[in-house]
Amino acid sequence: MEKLKISTAIQIARPVNDVFEAILEPDNMSNYFIAESSGRMEEGKTLQWKFPEFDEWVEIEVVEITTDEYISFQWEGSKDKKLLVEITLLPMNGNSTLARVTEGEMEPDETGIKWLAQNTEGWANFLACLKAYLEHGINLRKGAFEFLKVN
C-alpha cells in the first residue's frame, strides 16, 4: 500500500510575489496563520512558530526557497515524525496565483490516517485564510480555534 501524502491547492487573485512574501514574512503570516515567529523564512534557517490557539512553540527547519516559486520546510507534522512541507506557487491568468501545499509521507495505518485528516484540514484552512487575507484583508483565523484551548 502506498504511503499517505497531503496535497491541497487554491487559486488566489494576487500576483505570485504577493503570495510568496505573505508566506515568508512573519508580519504577514500573523494576519492569517501564526501568532508569532522567531524570524523570516530563509533557506537553512531554523525558526520557532507560535500558533494563537496553542501555548507551545513549533520548530521548523527551512529547507529550500526559490523566489516566487517554491518554499519547503520540515517540522514535526505528527508526534515524533519530522515531515516535509512543500509550497509551490504557479502564476495563473489574470495576475493570480495557484498555491499548492503538500506534506508527507506517513504510513497508511491508524496514526497516518489521523494525521492525513487533521493536517489536510489544517493546510486547506491555511490556504483559505491566506486567500482571505490577501484578497480582502480579513484574518479568518482570529478566534476561529478558541475552542481548542485547554482551560
Side-chain angles (χ1 to χ4, degrees):
M1 191 181 261
E2 287 186 38
K3 291 193 176 193
L4 303 174
K5 187 171 184 173
I6 292 168
S7 182
T8 186
I10 200 166
Q11 190 163 334
I12 300 171
R14 291 296 294 266
V16 70
N17 185 257
D18 291 357
V19 179
F20 182 76
E21 287 299 320
I23 296 168
L24 294 185
E25 183 57 51
D27 289 342
N28 290 328
M29 288 180 74
S30 66
N31 289 300
Y32 70 91
F33 186 49
I34 59 173
E36 298 176 58
S37 174
S38 61
R40 178 180 168 89
M41 291 181 76
E42 296 174 1
E43 205 168 285
K45 202 171 188 181
T46 298
L47 301 173
Q48 300 292 321
W49 283 351
K50 172 94 172 62
F51 289 88
E53 60 273 8
F54 303 113
D55 291 331
E56 302 85 21
W57 287 79
V58 175
E59 184 175 278
I60 69 154
E61 299 168 17
V62 182
V63 176
E64 184 180 341
I65 296 174
T66 303
T67 303
D68 293 345
E69 292 178 15
Y70 180 80
I71 301 161
S72 66
F73 62 90
Q74 291 185 323
W75 71 345
E76 188 175 322
S78 182
K79 184 170 175 30
D80 300 323
K81 180 83 171 165
K82 191 173 279 191
L83 299 172
L84 180 67
V85 174
E86 297 176 286
I87 303 170
T88 56
L89 305 174
L90 181 64
M92 302 296 286
N93 291 336
N95 214 18
S96 66
T97 303
L98 178 64
R100 179 177 309 281
V101 178
T102 62
E103 182 182 2
E105 299 174 327
M106 292 281 288
E107 295 297 326
D109 56 17
E110 186 176 334
T111 300
I113 291 168
K114 181 179 177 185
W115 160 82
L116 184 70
Q118 289 177 337
N119 286 27
T120 298
E121 179 182 348
W123 287 118
N125 181 268
F126 164 84
L127 289 172
C129 290
L130 175 61
K131 180 177 177 69
Y133 168 65
L134 285 176
E135 291 182 8
H136 306 287
I138 298 168
N139 185 343
L140 290 179
R141 194 174 181 105
K142 186 175 182 180
F145 298 103
E146 293 294 317
F147 68 93
L148 294 176
K149 288 186 177 180
V150 178
N151 294 328

